[in-house]
Amino acid sequence: MSLSFFHRHWAAWREETRVFSDPDSASAELRARHLAGITRLTPVLMVANLFNALGLLVAVSGSVSAKAWLLWLGVLLLIVGVALRGWLRHRREPVMRASPRAIRHATLHALVLACVWTVPVVGWLDALTPIQQLMVAVTTTGMMAAGGFALSSVPQAGLAWTLALGTGAIVGVARLGGTVAWVLAGMLLGYVLVIAVAVRSAARQSALRLRSEREAERQSQMVGLLLRDFEEHSADVLWEVDRQGHFTHVSAKLAALFGDDLDMSSLGLFEVLAGRSPGGAEAEGLRKLRQALNADKPFRDVLLTVEVGGVPRWWSITAKPLVEDSGRTVGWRGVISDVTQQRLAHQRLTYQAYFDSLTGLANRDQLRNRLVQVIDACANTPRRCALLCLDLDNFKAINDSLGHSVGDGVLKLVAQRLQSVMRRADLVARLGGDEFAVLLDDVRSDDEVDLLARRLLQVLNAPGEIQGRSVMVGASMGVALIPDHGQSIDDVMGNADLALYAAKEAGRGRFETFATWLGERSRRLVTIEAELRQALTRGELSLHWQPKVDIATWQMRGVEALLRWNHPELGSISPGEFVPVAEKSGLIGDMGAWVLKEACRVARDQLPDLLISVNVSPLQLMREDFLADVEAAFAETGLAPGRLEMEITESVFMDDAATALRNLHALKRLGVQIALDDFGTGYSAFQYLRRFPFDTLKIDRAFVRELLTHHDARAIVRTIVALANTLGMRTVAEGVEEPAQLEVLRQAGCSEIQGFLAARPLPLERLLGLMDTWNEHNRPEPGAMPETQTVPLDMLAPLSDTTRAVR
């Protein structure tokens, strides 16, 4: 048990004193700190040695020879002198590192000085009087205790001093002999052990304290280094203030951040920030900063708006309090981050999220957000509002013909015109492309909405100048009232769109207000699209036929195939209703291919001597695989291409003239005849006559209807017939209903007619019956109705030929 105890303590002692022998840099720094504790006390210790020596000599001078005490005093003075000389030499040069040799030197010095102090107690004690012996004992014991504690920062020196002086004292007392002397020797031994343990404990505490101080300094240096590196390389700026808010350190970056024209040394943090606050007043951010500092807690990202050099900036301030050991806040340290670019980027993103980048108007998202508020307000109050959806009528033509830069200019012009008319409370938005919307807030009546809508159209339909070019903008508009026409965003916007489509269908350049029947029509169109997808497979589609009659001989030269759809529940549906649905839904290709094959089959089997006309939708003719459908129809039915005539309108050339012309030339090479329908109604009809050699011109029914009432209509018809004759084309007049119209057309030289005067569109069985009874004697005379029009009522088709089959 005893050996184990000493072994543990010896191991602990070796671990504690390793710092005094290890060669590493950290140990060298700690050794210097330990020695510094002794070095600082050197003058005091040496003076104490001299004072005690003189006092002792005065007490024993009568009992000790002068030669002995002079020699002892000389040796003591020599040691003291060496110590003071070393102290004087290094007192202004703080030692940062100390070698193990320096520790050994300090220990040796303590040991030698202790040995010198053992001379009086060992050599002189038995020659002294009792009072002198007491003086020596007190001095020696005091020197042993005081020296041990004074040298405890270097435990080797402290123990060397204590053990050497204690051993000398014990030996000196023991030499006196007697029971009392041995008791005193035992007591001295106890003192020595207690002082030795105290020295070791003090040394351990000193070592811990010095290690902590060194680690704190190292961390402080590291923090300082990191802070300096941070300040040099980071975009953020360090700041530090005391409890009163005055700057304790103003770096070059901090001064530059606030502006070099500001003397920050004489101002506090809030004075500096207030001087940079817009308008000079304490802003919200500055109040938040003051509250955060008063709370004595760390805070992050307090946002301030400042002006530096007249330029607005945004700073984000983060800081934590500087607290002393007592827990009292003595200042603040933190960083200032210039977040101007991030703030501007955020503003740009926010702007892009709610505004249109081209026109600066609100975008669809902002309109929807505002609609939510408006709809809620109208639902809870008598307030009424209105949504106007606008669409430019000829924007695509402007964009394609004049370029996108002009198109962008048109959109900006429209935005400016809309904003110039609207009230401050109204919202103008661009929904995308050439679509705009206006949200009228708090309107008093429907008349007010109508008045504003007319004013808008008047402004938009005026000509404008873009990049030196005069352009006609033009717009159509749909109006939905809130809450009358919807109580949700989708309902209001959808109903405004339906009204817009109605305005376009009614002739454009106008506005329509939503009505219930528009919604019913929209739902009907959805139903028609769903049922139309099954119409072909269910066999619901059929062809009706309308004759084309030669005016000179009154013989049928051909028939036009007209598509019909008879639904088991919806009844007979007009082509004018279901064909646009087929075009929008992509079903027109399959429907057109079926019409083509069916017409060719009937022509081959039951109409062998007639030219068969089939209407072609513009979307069909612009498809790359259209020619393949035609060739497949000929291959399947065996019909000669020369017996097929395809009727097209000039709208075919509007969007993709190159593809349309390519397909038309391919059809001509096959031998198919081409007729230009509704000739004379388009502004560019004559242009297309030059670009493609048509076989037939069909005179539009609008001119035929006015033949008897407008002389200009007769002049146009004569011009068309003369042009066709010059170009080697046949002419067919559509919509002929009166014998007088027939006579005018005959005199003009028209080749053929098509209309009620000859026959209505008929199912195939009725057409074949009509053909069996047809002869040239059926020709009507002017002023008389022909027998061919006295057909039974059940033979009359429910629809006139005013509706085209596929377009």
Side-chain angles (χ1 to χ4, degrees):
M1 184 69 178
S2 174
L3 291 176
S4 175
F5 173 79
F6 283 111
H7 178 74
R8 285 199 311 274
H9 280 267
W10 174 249
W13 168 256
R14 286 180 58 84
E15 183 64 27
E16 292 170 6
T17 57
R18 279 181 55 188
V19 67
F20 299 103
S21 59
D22 287 350
D24 59 277
S25 176
S27 298
E29 292 180 10
L30 286 174
R31 284 193 292 269
R33 292 174 183 271
H34 281 280
L35 286 174
I38 297 178
T39 303
R40 285 194 298 271
L41 295 176
T42 295
V44 176
L45 292 176
M46 295 305 101
V47 170
N49 272 269
L50 290 176
F51 180 80
N52 288 336
L54 292 175
L56 183 63
L57 291 177
V58 170
V60 302
S61 59
S63 303
V64 179
S65 66
K67 183 179 179 180
W69 67 260
L70 284 174
L71 179 62
W72 178 80
L73 182 61
V75 173
L76 182 65
L77 288 174
L78 177 62
I79 296 172
V80 170
V82 170
L84 290 175
R85 180 174 176 274
W87 173 78
L88 289 171
R89 187 172 59 186
H90 297 294
R91 75 182 188 278
R92 299 187 184 277
E93 301 176 5
V95 180
M96 305 306 297
R97 288 179 174 81
S99 65
R101 182 172 176 273
I103 297 297
R104 291 194 296 272
H105 183 271
T107 302
L108 179 62
H109 184 275
L111 180 62
V112 170
L113 187 59
C115 291
V116 171
W117 274 102
T118 61
V119 170
V121 70
V122 174
W124 302 347
L125 194 61
D126 54 351
L128 300 178
T129 64
I131 191 65
Q132 290 175 330
Q133 290 177 343
L134 179 62
M135 180 65 179
V136 170
V138 170
T139 302
T140 301
T141 304
M143 289 291 293
M144 180 176 62
F149 284 109
L151 298 174
S152 62
S153 60
V154 179
Q156 296 94 321
L159 290 176
W161 169 273
T162 301
L163 293 178
L165 192 54
T167 301
I170 291 171
V171 171
V173 171
R175 287 181 58 196
L176 295 176
T179 302
V180 175
W182 285 105
V183 170
L184 288 175
M187 293 174 65
L188 285 172
L189 179 60
Y191 295 158
V192 169
L193 293 177
V194 170
I195 294 173
V197 171
V199 167
R200 182 187 169 189
S201 177
R204 182 184 301 158
Q205 296 299 321
S206 177
L208 292 175
R209 178 178 58 80
L210 293 176
R211 286 179 184 274
S212 298
E213 289 178 357
R214 180 182 177 278
E215 181 63 21
E217 289 180 5
R218 188 188 69 81
Q219 291 182 357
S220 178
Q221 291 173 357
M222 181 63 69
V223 170
L225 180 64
L226 292 174
L227 290 176
R228 285 193 298 273
D229 182 73
F230 175 83
E231 189 169 33
E232 291 174 1
H233 298 95
S234 173
D236 299 338
V237 180
L238 291 171
W239 62 276
E240 185 174 332
V241 296
D242 58 19
R243 183 67 183 175
Q244 288 71 39
H246 295 101
F247 289 98
T248 58
H249 170 68
V250 180
S251 66
K253 288 186 67 174
L254 184 62
L257 181 69
F258 281 96
D260 296 330
D261 59 329
L262 194 64
D263 182 13
M264 298 174 59
S265 60
S266 61
L267 298 174
L269 174 65
F270 286 98
E271 287 82 1
V272 172
L273 291 175
R276 290 291 181 254
S277 180
E282 184 170 89
E284 179 66 22
L286 203 56
R287 286 194 292 272
K288 290 182 178 179
L289 177 62
R290 189 182 296 277
Q291 293 172 0
L293 293 176
N294 291 336
D296 279 350
K297 294 180 180 179
F299 61 87
R300 295 183 59 84
D301 301 328
V302 173
L303 188 65
L304 298 180
T305 303
V306 297
E307 283 187 0
V308 179
V311 179
R313 312 289 296 180
W314 284 270
W315 292 349
S316 175
I317 298 185
T318 298
K320 67 175 183 178
L322 300 176
V323 182
E324 61 183 8
D325 294 340
S326 63
R328 188 176 69 92
T329 299
V330 295
W332 291 83
R333 178 186 294 149
V335 295
I336 299 175
S337 303
D338 191 321
V339 294
T340 302
Q341 295 303 318
Q342 298 91 311
R343 184 77 176 182
L344 292 176
H346 176 72
Q347 290 180 349
R348 285 194 296 270
L349 290 175
T350 303
Y351 180 86
Q352 293 171 2
Y354 293 102
F355 291 90
D356 176 60
S357 59
L358 177 64
T359 62
L361 300 178
N363 63 7
R364 184 182 293 270
D365 289 337
Q366 186 177 169
L367 175 65
R368 291 180 67 89
N369 291 341
R370 182 72 174 274
L371 269 175
V372 171
Q373 302 172 7
V374 167
I375 291 172
D376 289 344
C378 291
N380 299 320
T381 63
R383 181 179 178 183
R384 298 181 74 234
C385 302
L387 177 67
L388 283 60
C389 286
L390 298 88
D391 187 273
L392 304 186
D393 291 335
N394 59 341
F395 180 73
K396 188 178 188 306
I398 294 174
N399 227 16
D400 293 344
S401 60
L402 301 181
H404 292 285
S405 60
V406 175
D408 290 345
V410 169
L411 296 176
K412 293 178 182 178
L413 177 62
V414 169
Q416 294 170 2
R417 290 180 172 182
L418 290 174
Q419 289 178 310
S420 67
V421 176
M422 290 300 95
R423 304 167 302 179
R424 186 180 299 274
D426 299 332
L427 179 69
V428 182
R430 182 189 175 204
L431 304 182
D434 62 339
E435 299 178 3
F436 294 83
V438 176
L439 181 59
L440 301 178
D441 194 3
D442 196 11
V443 294
R444 291 182 292 273
S445 65
D446 295 356
D447 292 339
E448 182 181 4
V449 177
D450 291 350
L451 182 62
L452 285 171
R454 289 190 179 91
R455 175 61 178 155
L456 278 177
L457 289 177
Q458 180 183 2
V459 171
L460 292 178
N461 290 330
E465 184 173 322
I466 307 294
Q467 297 182 8
R469 298 173 180 267
S470 179
V471 295
M472 287 296 297
V473 181
S476 300
M477 187 185 307
V479 179
L481 302 175
I482 306 172
D484 306 37
H485 299 152
Q487 297 183 358
S488 70
I489 295 176
D490 294 335
D491 287 345
V492 172
M493 296 188 71
N495 292 337
D497 282 338
L498 290 176
L500 172 61
Y501 298 148
K504 284 184 170 292
E505 291 177 357
R508 302 191 175 190
R510 54 180 296 156
F511 77 93
E512 291 287 346
T513 301
F514 175 79
T516 305
W517 67 268
L518 290 175
E520 294 173 351
R521 185 182 68 168
S522 176
R523 289 188 289 272
R524 176 175 170 82
L525 291 178
V526 172
T527 302
I528 287 175
E529 179 179 349
E531 294 299 316
L532 189 59
R533 295 183 181 277
Q534 307 298 325
L536 273 175
T537 58
R538 293 196 297 241
E540 296 172 1
L541 298 180
S542 63
L543 293 180
H544 282 200
W545 307 84
Q546 186 172 31
K548 295 180 181 179
V549 180
D550 185 282
I551 294 178
T553 64
W554 202 247
Q555 294 295 317
M556 288 188 191
R557 297 300 183 189
V559 288
E560 181 178 358
L562 301 171
L563 183 61
R564 297 292 185 260
W565 179 21
N566 190 35
H567 190 272
E569 296 179 2
L570 300 177
S572 181
I573 303 174
S574 165
E577 191 173 19
F578 72 78
V579 169
V581 174
E583 289 180 331
K584 292 180 181 179
S585 61
L587 296 173
I588 194 65
D590 293 339
M591 287 177 54
W594 179 86
V595 170
L596 191 59
K597 290 181 181 180
E598 181 67 11
C600 290
R601 184 190 65 78
V602 172
R604 179 200 63 190
D605 297 340
Q606 297 174 287
L607 304 172
D609 299 323
L610 297 178
L611 179 68
I612 306 301
S613 297
V614 175
N615 292 286
V616 178
S617 165
L619 293 181
Q620 281 180 272
L621 196 59
M622 287 187 290
R623 289 174 51 184
E624 295 290 345
D625 59 349
F626 175 67
L627 188 62
D629 290 342
V630 177
E631 292 173 337
F634 290 151
E636 183 175 328
T637 63
L639 183 70
R643 291 193 55 206
L644 179 65
E645 181 180 65
M646 291 191 175
E647 296 187 8
I648 66 169
T649 63
E650 65 175 280
S651 61
V652 165
F653 303 101
M654 290 299 184
D655 295 324
D656 194 356
T659 302
L661 283 172
R662 187 164 56 250
N663 282 332
L664 287 175
H665 282 291
L667 291 173
K668 288 288 287 184
R669 287 192 295 271
L670 285 176
V672 177
Q673 297 191 46
I674 309 296
L676 181 58
D677 199 6
D678 299 336
F679 182 75
T681 59
Y683 71 93
S684 57
F686 290 95
Q687 173 187 348
Y688 297 122
L689 289 182
R690 298 179 59 225
R691 298 175 65 182
F692 185 81
F694 292 96
D695 298 290
T696 303
L697 294 183
K698 297 193 72 173
I699 303 172
D700 188 78
R701 59 181 50 82
F703 299 122
V704 174
R705 188 182 307 116
E706 297 177 350
L707 279 176
L708 304 180
T709 58
H710 293 77
H711 65 86
D712 56 344
R714 293 193 292 272
I716 291 174
V717 169
R718 287 195 297 268
T719 301
I720 294 174
V721 172
L723 178 64
N725 291 335
T726 302
L727 298 176
M729 302 178 187
R730 294 182 297 110
T731 52
V732 178
E734 296 182 288
V736 180
E737 299 180 355
E738 301 179 25
Q741 294 172 338
L742 173 64
E743 181 62 22
V744 174
L745 291 169
R746 183 190 65 78
Q747 293 178 6
C750 183
S751 306
E752 301 172 13
I753 68 163
Q754 182 180 358
F756 288 0
L757 185 62
R760 294 174 179 269
L762 301 171
L764 181 61
E765 294 77 8
R766 300 289 189 260
L767 175 66
L768 294 175
L770 180 62
M771 290 173 62
D772 291 339
T773 62
W774 188 275
N775 59 68
E776 64 272 16
H777 302 295
N778 295 57
R779 182 189 184 100
E781 295 297 333
M785 293 299 292
E787 296 179 8
T788 53
Q789 285 198 261
T790 60
V791 294
L793 291 178
D794 62 343
M795 292 181 62
L796 298 180
L799 297 172
S800 73
D801 61 339
T802 57
T803 303
R804 302 202 52 79
V806 181
R807 59 173 59 193

